[in-house]
């Protein structure tokens, strides 16, 4: 069947998916044909991201629905370890590719590519929807390649054609889309006829991240955001159970949040950065001499950060082989706001946000994320030690019964969460 990309008007979407949301972005449907016969009887996975939900928030703020999932499913009480840098786009894309950022290429929310001579920004539709920036095979593309339909209710990368595929159903990102209606759409997708029903679905909420940035992690506003998304998870859990379908629910976050200390630290106060391209605190030297000169000036400049030549970045960060990472590379020693330059004189220079992330999770436990899972294929009461988030991908591949490409994660890390029947 010829593949067609079509934008469904909101009224048609309401009839097609039994959902109507005023002032909300319509679903985009890509005609991949029906689920292959071999895929139709397989189980379903709903992967939810609660952006910025720190590993200890559930207990700290009484997220009773997530704690209940942990009690009768699987969880990581001491957190899941995000990839470095612990930022939104790198880690969301790591979760769905099983690759470290330097291997899938999304090494920051914003970065420069010396080969392309272009800058990627998560805010720019020209780059965030351009599949040529993205490496690896995200779960939705993997499913589509193997005849299994997928759907993305927001997820970094899901608006781009990657590895030659798009999800069968997806939306352009719109943070104003009503929270409850997002769940309605997920349920509507799962009520489609089996031939059209997606087996892998993503769902995304940014509430906790926004609150953590604006107010800090230890505030009533963040507590309220935690309880709000927790209530949404209770609704989602109940609605999924009412379907009587074999659905495994996995709830994760991309990173945690830390309270920022002090004001801006400007790198150009310690070293002349003329001739270097800079993006945030990332430095891109035009040649070896310039890279080494900046390194020599910066390496003993300030106790708040460390500086490395790219090839010497500690191996545990998996951040030392991709030119998009920059050279030299700055790694904060704590929750400090670091940038290459202050804002231009003609622009307002705002103070750092009260909360932030992006830091080394091996140094700062506040960066750790959450992992909760429940469903017919999940063993009850499993408490996992902290593990790297690259290992979520092979677990979901196993749950969906797909064949996986080589990735950085290993199924063995999370194999213990599977029920006896699912392990066979």
């Amino acid at each position: 069947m010829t593949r067609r990309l079509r934008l469904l008007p909101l009224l048609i979407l309401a009839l097609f998916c039994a959902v109507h949301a005023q002032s909300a972005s319509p679903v985009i449907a890509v005609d991949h044909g029906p689920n292959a016969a071999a895929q139709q009887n397989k189980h379903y996975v709903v992967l939810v991201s609660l952006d910025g939900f720190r590993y200890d928030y559930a207990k700290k703020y009484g997220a009773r629905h997530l704690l209940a999932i942990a009690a009768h499913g699987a969880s990581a009480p001491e957190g899941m370890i995000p990839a470095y840098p612990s930022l939104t786009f790198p880690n969301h894309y790591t979760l769905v590719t099983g690759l470290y950022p330097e291997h899938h290429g999304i090494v920051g929310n914003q970065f420069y590519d010396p080969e392309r001579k272009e800058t990627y920004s998560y805010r720019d539709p020209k780059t965030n929807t351009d599949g040529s920036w993205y490496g690896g095979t995200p779960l939705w593309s993997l499913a589509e390649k193997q005849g299994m339909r997928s759907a993305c209710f927001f997820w970094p990368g899901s608006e781009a054609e990657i590895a030659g595929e798009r999800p069968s159903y997806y939306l352009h990102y719109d943070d104003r889309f009503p929270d409850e209606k997002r769940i309605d759409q997920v349920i509507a997708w799962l009520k489609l006829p089996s031939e059209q029903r997606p087996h892998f679905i993503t769902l995304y909420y940014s509430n906790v991240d926004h609150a953590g940035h604006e107010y800090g992690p230890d505030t009533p506003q963040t507590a309220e955001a935690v309880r709000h998304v927790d209530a949404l998870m209770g609704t989602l859990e109940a609605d999924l159970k009412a379907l009587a379908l074999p659905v495994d629910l996995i709830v994760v976050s991309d990173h945690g949040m830390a309270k920022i200390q002090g004001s801006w630290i400007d790198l150009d106060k310690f070293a002349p950065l003329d001739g270097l391209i800079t993006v945030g605190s990332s430095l891109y030297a035009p040649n070896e001499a310039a890279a080494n000169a900046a390194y020599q000036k910066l390496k003993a400049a300030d106790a708040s950060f460390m500086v490395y030549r790219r090839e010497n970045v500690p191996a545990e960060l998996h951040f030392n082989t991709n030119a998009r990472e920059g050279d030299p590379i700055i790694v904060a020693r704590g929750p400090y706001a670091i940038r290459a330059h202050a804002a231009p004189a003609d622009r307002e220079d705002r103070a750092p946000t009260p909360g932030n992330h992006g830091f080394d999770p091996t140094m700062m436990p506040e960066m750790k994320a959450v992992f909760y899972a429940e469903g017919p294929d999940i063993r009850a009461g499993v408490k996992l030690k902290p593990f790297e988030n690259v290992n979520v991908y092979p677990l979901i591949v196993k749950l969906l019964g797909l064949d996986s490409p080589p990735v950085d994660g290993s199924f063995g890390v999370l194999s213990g969460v599977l029920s006896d029947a699912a392990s066979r």
Side-chain angles (χ1 to χ4, degrees):
M1 180 181 295
T2 302
R3 184 171 299 174
R4 302 182 304 277
L5 185 65
R6 58 184 186 270
L7 180 65
L8 302 181
L10 194 56
L11 181 57
I12 295 176
L13 172 64
L15 297 173
F16 177 65
C17 292
V19 169
H20 183 76
Q22 291 184 347
S23 301
S25 300
V27 168
I28 298 167
V30 181
D31 191 352
H32 292 282
N35 280 298
Q39 306 292 11
Q40 290 188 26
N41 291 326
K42 289 185 176 179
H43 288 192
Y44 302 82
V45 172
V46 175
L47 176 65
V48 183
S49 168
L50 307 178
D51 196 324
F53 199 112
R54 202 170 73 185
Y55 80 99
D56 60 346
Y57 277 175
K59 287 187 176 180
K60 182 180 178 73
Y61 295 127
R64 63 186 183 89
H65 295 290
L66 289 173
L67 293 174
I69 292 175
H72 54 74
S75 65
E78 297 304 313
M80 179 174 66
I81 302 168
Y84 182 81
S86 49
L87 296 168
T88 297
F89 265 56
N91 276 279
H92 275 95
Y93 201 58
T94 285
L95 284 161
V96 295
T97 61
L99 300 172
Y100 295 113
E102 71 173 1
H103 294 156
H104 62 56
I106 306 302
V107 301
N109 287 339
Q110 300 176 86
F111 56 87
Y112 179 71
D113 186 320
E115 183 176 344
R116 296 171 68 125
K117 294 181 170 52
E118 295 178 273
T119 298
Y120 174 97
S121 173
Y122 73 112
R123 296 179 183 274
D124 185 356
K126 292 181 180 178
T127 56
N128 67 33
T129 65
D130 179 355
S132 68
W133 286 96
Y134 300 82
T137 306
L139 284 162
W140 55 82
S141 295
L142 186 71
E144 299 293 352
K145 284 177 177 292
Q146 296 178 35
M148 177 183 283
R149 305 290 71 90
S150 66
C152 293
F153 207 121
F154 306 155
W155 199 276
S158 63
E159 296 180 55
E161 181 178 308
I162 304 173
E165 301 290 347
R166 293 180 184 271
S168 290
Y169 315 102
Y170 70 98
L171 293 88
H172 292 309
Y173 183 68
D174 179 1
D175 205 31
R176 299 166 299 175
F177 200 112
D179 290 343
E180 293 77 10
K181 294 294 184 181
R182 301 183 194 193
I183 294 174
D184 292 344
Q185 180 61 73
V186 168
I187 300 304
W189 278 329
L190 288 169
K191 288 183 176 180
L192 290 171
S194 60
E195 295 84 0
Q196 300 170 353
R197 187 185 305 149
H199 282 252
F200 174 68
I201 299 174
T202 70
L203 177 60
Y204 171 84
Y205 289 104
S206 62
N207 313 63
V208 174
D209 186 67
H210 290 334
H213 278 296
E214 186 172 357
Y215 303 103
D218 305 310
T219 59
Q221 294 89 343
T222 296
E224 181 181 356
V226 166
R227 288 190 283 268
H228 173 68
V229 297
D230 180 64
L232 292 170
M233 293 305 96
T235 299
L236 175 62
E237 181 186 36
D239 289 352
L240 290 174
K241 287 181 178 178
L243 293 174
L245 287 173
V247 180
D248 293 309
L249 172 63
I250 299 177
V251 181
V252 297
S253 58
D254 48 350
H255 53 71
M257 188 71 66
K259 181 180 179 181
I260 290 298
Q261 298 179 15
S263 189
W264 286 109
I265 297 170
D266 298 327
L267 298 176
D268 61 4
K269 291 183 177 179
F270 307 107
L273 301 179
D274 300 337
L276 277 69
I277 293 172
T278 64
V279 180
S281 64
S282 298
L283 311 175
Y284 302 86
N287 52 53
E288 169 63 23
N292 191 57
Y295 168 73
Q296 294 298 335
K297 288 284 188 180
L298 291 166
K299 68 177 182 179
D302 193 274
S304 61
F305 62 84
M306 297 172 287
V307 60
Y308 301 96
R309 293 304 304 274
R310 183 172 61 240
E311 63 186 18
N312 295 324
V313 173
E316 62 266 22
L317 295 187
H318 303 280
F319 205 73
N320 56 20
T321 63
N322 194 317
R324 294 178 177 181
E325 296 157 345
D327 189 12
I329 289 175
I330 305 298
V331 178
R333 292 181 183 269
Y336 307 119
I338 301 173
R339 61 188 180 183
H341 307 284
D346 60 347
R347 281 182 21 203
E348 179 185 2
D349 193 6
R350 296 182 179 180
T353 58
N356 215 335
H357 50 91
F359 307 109
D360 177 359
T362 68
M363 295 176 60
M364 296 182 59
E366 301 99 314
M367 294 300 99
K368 287 188 295 183
V370 297
F371 174 88
Y372 301 99
E374 67 172 356
D377 300 309
I378 305 300
R379 190 183 301 275
V382 175
K383 306 299 182 188
L384 298 158
K385 294 181 179 179
F387 64 91
E388 292 182 295
N389 64 356
V390 290
N391 299 296
V392 172
Y393 182 92
L395 171 66
I396 295 177
V397 168
K398 174 68 174 179
L399 290 170
L400 294 173
L402 299 173
D403 296 323
S404 177
V407 296
D408 294 323
S410 171
F411 170 66
V413 173
L414 296 180
S415 59
V417 309
L418 295 185
S419 66
D420 291 340
S423 299
R424 299 190 186 110

